[in-house]
Amino acid sequence: GEDVEQSLFLSVREGDSSVINCTYTDSSSTYLYWYKQEPGAGLQLLTYIFSNMDMKQDQRLTVLLNKKDKHLSLRIADTQTGDSAIYFCARGGSYIPTFGRGTSLIVHP
Amino acid sequence: EPEVTQTPSHQVTQMGQEVILRCVPISNHLYFYWYRQILGQKVEFLVSFYNNEISEKSEIFDDQFSVERPDGSNFTLKIRSTKLEDSAMYFCASSPGLAGATVTEQYFGPGTRLTVT
C-alpha cells in the first residue's frame, strides 16, 4: 500500500466542521504535516505536529495524532468557502517530506 | 510577502523534445527543490540543490533530468527527451537554510503543468 494514504474527496456544508484523515506506515516519522493547495497556487504549510505530541490546536485548526494507529487528522472548525482546496498530509524524518495524494475539500452553502 | 514563482504555468511539448522549467526562488534562500505530481498521484520529491550542486535526489531523477542555477535568481529543471509519463505538475520550492531546519521552512511555487503529447 501507499506510504501516506488519505481519501480523495470530502464535501461539507459551510459552517460545519471538516475532518480530513490520513494514515501512514513509517513510524519513524518525526514530523507530520498538513499542506493546503488552492487553485493555481503552490503548497502552503498549514500546520505540523511533532511525533511526540497528540494534539495541536491553531485557531480553527486542530491536528490529532494517534501514533499507535499511525493516524493523523485535521479538523477545520466552522468551515468556510475559502477553505475549499486540496489538503495534503505529509510525513518527514528529515527535510524531505513524503506526501499523500491530497484530499479535495469542497465547501457548499 | 516574498514568494516562489514558476514559468510557464503550462507547457505542452511533443515526446522526445527537451523542456526547461523555470523557477525563481525567494531571494535569500539557499536550498532549492523540485517535486512533481502526476495527475491523481501523490507529490513526489525529485531533487534538492545547494551550493551549486545536487545534495539529494530520488530514483525518479534519472539521467534525463538535470538542474541548474544559471544565475543568481533562476533555478531550472531540464528534461532532455520527454516521455509521455513525464506529464505532471512540477513544483519548485526553496528554503532559507538546512542546519536545524525542517521541511516546515520550504516555500512552494504554484507549479508548472507539463503535458507531453
Side-chain angles (χ1 to χ4, degrees):
Chain A
E2 297 272 333
D3 190 356
V4 178
E5 289 197 23
Q6 48 185 132
S7 55
L8 293 182
F9 297 99
L10 176 66
S11 178
V12 299
R13 192 182 303 273
E14 189 175 13
D16 288 351
S17 292
S18 308
V19 179
I20 304 172
N21 294 300
C22 170
T23 57
Y24 58 96
T25 56
D26 188 342
S27 58
S28 69
S29 301
T30 306
Y31 305 97
L32 295 134
Y33 309 90
W34 285 104
Y35 283 82
K36 176 182 180 182
Q37 184 185 29
E38 296 181 1
L43 281 70
Q44 173 198 1
L45 180 67
L46 271 183
T47 186
Y48 66 94
I49 189 168
F50 292 107
S51 60
N52 62 357
M53 297 169 63
D54 297 322
M55 187 183 86
K56 181 178 181 181
Q57 186 151 4
D58 183 3
Q59 299 181 337
R60 291 191 296 122
L61 305 179
T62 303
V63 179
L64 294 177
L65 175 61
N66 181 329
K67 291 183 286 294
K68 175 174 169 291
D69 294 338
K70 301 190 188 69
H71 181 268
L72 183 74
S73 67
L74 173 70
R75 179 177 181 270
I76 305 172
D78 186 24
T79 313
Q80 303 298 307
T81 54
D83 294 324
S84 293
I86 302 175
Y87 291 81
F88 291 91
C89 170
R91 65 155 189 87
S94 64
Y95 64 100
I96 303 298
T98 300
F99 289 90
R101 296 188 183 194
T103 299
S104 290
L105 175 64
I106 300 160
V107 183
H108 54 90
Chain B
E1 185 175 333
E3 59 182 17
V4 176
T5 60
Q6 292 184 240
T7 55
S9 57
H10 190 193
Q11 173 87 48
V12 181
T13 189
Q14 288 190 327
M15 194 167 51
Q17 296 295 305
E18 174 184 285
V19 292
I20 298 176
L21 308 183
R22 301 180 192 280
C23 168
V24 179
I26 294 173
S27 63
N28 62 348
H29 284 188
L30 301 176
Y31 292 83
F32 315 109
Y33 314 85
W34 283 102
Y35 295 82
R36 79 171 185 191
Q37 185 184 26
I38 296 170
L39 187 64
Q41 306 289 320
K42 60 183 179 179
V43 176
E44 301 171 294
F45 167 73
L46 292 179
V47 65
S48 61
F49 191 85
Y50 168 71
N51 199 27
N52 283 319
E53 60 183 29
I54 291 173
S55 50
E56 190 168 342
K57 61 182 181 179
S58 71
E59 59 188 26
I60 302 169
F61 194 87
D62 61 22
D63 292 343
Q64 291 298 310
F65 292 90
S66 62
V67 289
E68 193 178 29
R69 188 153 163 82
D71 52 43
S73 60
N74 290 283
F75 179 51
T76 62
L77 175 69
K78 181 193 289 186
I79 309 175
R80 288 189 183 82
S81 178
T82 50
K83 304 187 284 287
L84 294 176
E85 53 265 36
D86 293 326
S87 294
M89 181 74 87
Y90 288 81
F91 294 104
C92 172
S94 69
S95 64
L98 186 60
T102 71
V103 74
T104 57
E105 296 182 66
Q106 287 190 23
Y107 296 80
F108 283 79
T112 292
R113 180 167 296 285
L114 176 65
T115 302
V116 183
T117 61

